Amino acid sequence: MTNERRWLITFGAGLVILSIALYGLHYLIFHDIHHIGIYTLADIAFLPLEVLLVTLVFHQVLESRDRKQRMDKLNMVIGTFFSAIGTQLLTYISNNDPNLDEIRPQLLVNDTWTDETFQRVEGRLKRHPCRIRIEDVDLEAVKRFLGSREEFLLRLLENPVLLEHEAFTELLRAVFHFNEELQRRPGFSGLPGTDTAHLAHDLERIYGLLIWEWLDYMHYLQENYPYLFSFAMRTNPFDETATAIVG
């Protein structure tokens, strides 16, 4: 038996003994077992309501507050990812999407969007193929870009906060895997078609996950941080006229 468990048992037994002693003192002073029985039964009758209030109401309030704090920490990490890697990567990948013009107008997020707007765009994204013209991708440039941020990716993967966000963790894993693939190749000229197709598949996986996470993050910013949302709108990777300058 551990010391902590022994202490809890001792503490519980002490409380029971104290309660018995106080009831005994009450009887010695007032010699009224009738009222002791009434108050004891009343306390026992209220116990289920007390359990209800503590376990359901108060616990839910505390859990909701704790969940919000965890989500704030999680989205802070996600925001760091988009600032350091995500937005630039999404811009470059989407520019090599042969079907981008079909989806671009619907991704120009602004402050008039409602929850229904985000849901409608999410539904449209489910039908978007997220294909890449791999022959137009400068894999050497992508290799240098991701290689320069490899340590940052490792620190993100080690962050325990991300355990609660499986989709974003999967995105990080996909980016990290693609970076490994690129770093193990000395060059990209003359690659066999099978290898090029493999790299294209890896990049398309990233594209599909990245665009979803970006839209979800934009929704979060709009609801919680208007000033961050303003900057995210002005640097929207799908807006060809995007500029950080406030005009």
Side-chain angles (χ1 to χ4, degrees):
M1 183 182 297
T2 64
N3 290 334
E4 183 180 357
R5 187 175 180 83
R6 187 181 297 110
W7 180 87
L8 286 174
I9 293 175
T10 303
F11 182 69
L15 290 176
V16 172
I17 293 171
L18 178 61
S19 181
I20 293 173
L22 289 173
Y23 275 122
L25 180 62
H26 183 282
Y27 179 74
L28 289 175
I29 295 174
F30 299 105
H31 300 285
D32 192 349
I33 194 69
H34 176 70
H35 277 84
I36 293 177
I38 291 175
Y39 290 134
T40 302
L41 183 60
D43 289 340
I44 294 174
F46 183 72
L47 187 59
L49 293 177
E50 187 175 9
V51 172
L52 175 67
L53 289 173
V54 172
T55 59
L56 294 184
V57 180
F58 297 149
H59 178 71
Q60 287 297 323
V61 170
L62 293 175
E63 185 177 354
S64 176
R65 186 177 66 177
D66 184 54
R67 188 185 305 112
K68 185 181 184 305
Q69 291 175 343
R70 292 198 308 270
M71 288 302 298
D72 285 341
K73 291 179 181 178
L74 172 61
N75 280 283
M76 186 181 299
V77 174
I78 294 175
T80 303
F81 166 79
F82 276 106
S83 295
I85 297 177
T87 300
Q88 291 174 266
L89 189 59
L90 183 56
T91 301
Y92 186 74
I93 295 176
S94 62
N95 285 339
N96 290 285
D97 179 355
N99 304 305
L100 180 60
D101 290 339
E102 299 176 9
I103 195 70
R104 188 198 296 273
Q106 300 179 58
L107 292 171
L108 302 181
V109 185
N110 58 62
D111 50 13
T112 66
W113 279 35
T114 63
D115 291 345
E116 290 72 22
T117 309
F118 279 99
Q119 291 173 5
R120 186 174 66 252
V121 174
E122 287 174 0
R124 176 62 184 85
L125 281 179
K126 291 179 181 178
R127 302 191 300 274
H128 188 65
C130 290
R131 294 285 182 257
I132 298 295
R133 292 187 303 265
I134 192 65
E135 64 275 8
D136 294 337
V137 175
D138 187 346
L139 291 173
E140 192 62 51
V142 177
K143 176 181 177 178
R144 290 194 300 270
F145 174 72
L146 292 180
S148 66
R149 289 158 175 78
E150 186 171 338
E151 186 177 347
F152 174 75
L153 286 171
L154 281 171
R155 290 202 305 270
L156 285 182
L157 284 171
E158 293 169 356
N159 195 319
V161 174
L162 297 180
L163 295 175
E164 297 190 38
H165 198 316
E166 293 182 7
F168 185 71
T169 302
E170 182 61 27
L171 169 60
L172 285 182
R173 190 177 292 116
V175 173
F176 191 78
H177 168 73
F178 186 62
N179 179 51
E180 281 189 307
E181 291 275 8
L182 296 180
Q183 301 304 324
R184 293 299 181 91
R185 288 167 172 77
F188 302 98
S189 61
L191 291 178
T194 52
D195 194 52
T196 302
H198 176 78
L199 293 175
H201 179 69
D202 285 343
L203 194 55
E204 288 168 355
R205 180 189 299 116
I206 292 172
Y207 185 26
L209 294 169
L210 188 57
I211 195 172
W212 275 96
E213 287 304 316
W214 174 81
L215 187 63
D216 188 58
Y217 181 61
M218 292 291 284
H219 193 183
Y220 172 80
L221 290 183
Q222 188 203 45
E223 290 184 338
N224 297 277
Y225 297 98
Y227 68 99
L228 293 178
F229 179 67
S230 172
F231 180 77
M233 281 194 301
R234 286 180 277 117
T235 56
N236 186 328
F238 297 97
D239 188 351
E240 295 178 290
T241 63
T243 175
I245 299 173
V246 179

